[in-house]
Amino acid sequence: MATRSGIDAKAAIKLAEDHQNIIFAIKAEFDTSTLLLHSGGGDLVINSETYTGAGTLLAVSDIEDSNDLKSAGVTFQLSGMDLSYAVTESYQNRPITLLLAFVSGGTDHVDGVMTLYKGRMTSTSITDSPSDGVMITLITENRLLDLERPCNYRYTKESQVALAGSGDTGFDAVEKLQDTDILWGRST
């Protein structure tokens, strides 16, 4: 049984085995399309989606995990990609997911999948060199970083309208409550 979210039962069984054939897969969700790549060759179907093999053209930085409530981002590098796609596509704050897929040896059958990382894209870097060609570096961050940022929303009607629209009247009476005397525990 899997006890961590993002691990299916088949992946939990594979984790207990001595030898595994693994492939990393990324799902980068852009506005116009979703980029599905994996670190092997050929096409691979994971969760009913077809991932294209990038082989050694796809690199993933180390993934840090700890018991502390902290966040470390992950960096993805992709070489040999069409430069126009990287320049024209909006990427800021778009979701990205890194999966670990267990495949049967010598086949393209996925035996189990687990989610290694979920975050959002924050910045890109593009380098073009004669020896290495075009390399796109995609820097991502985990949503846990939002916990360290101050929230500018207050329990006021103005914040509620900005957040939910003008039809919500949940905070209309908050301003009146600030100056109201409430008699508590007294008989009237």
Side-chain angles (χ1 to χ4, degrees), residues 126-137:
I126 301 171
T127 57
D128 189 8
S129 71
S131 60
D132 297 330
V134 176
M135 181 174 293
I136 301 166
T137 302

Side-chain angles (χ1 to χ4, degrees), residues 37-132:
L37 299 172
H38 70 86
S39 61
D43 288 345
L44 189 66
V45 177
I46 302 173
N47 296 333
S48 302
E49 296 176 311
T50 302
Y51 288 73
T52 303
T56 58
L57 302 176
L58 175 66
V60 180
S61 69
D62 291 339
I63 301 169
E64 296 179 28
D65 197 12
S66 70
N67 290 333
D68 299 333
L69 188 60
K70 67 176 188 175
S71 173
V74 176
T75 302
F76 300 92
Q77 287 186 333
L78 185 61
S79 57
M81 186 175 166
D82 182 13
L83 187 59
S84 64
Y85 186 81
V87 174
T88 59
E89 194 67 48
S90 295
Y91 63 86
Q92 195 75 24
N93 290 323
R94 301 306 188 274
I96 189 163
T97 305
L98 175 64
L99 302 171
L100 177 69
F102 299 92
V103 294
S104 296
T107 69
D108 61 352
H109 176 71
V110 176
D111 287 334
V113 178
M114 65 184 276
T115 303
L116 288 180
Y117 174 80
K118 275 191 167 191
R120 61 178 167 220
M121 301 174 240
T122 57
S123 63
T124 60
S125 167
I126 301 171
T127 57
D128 189 8
S129 71
S131 60
D132 297 330

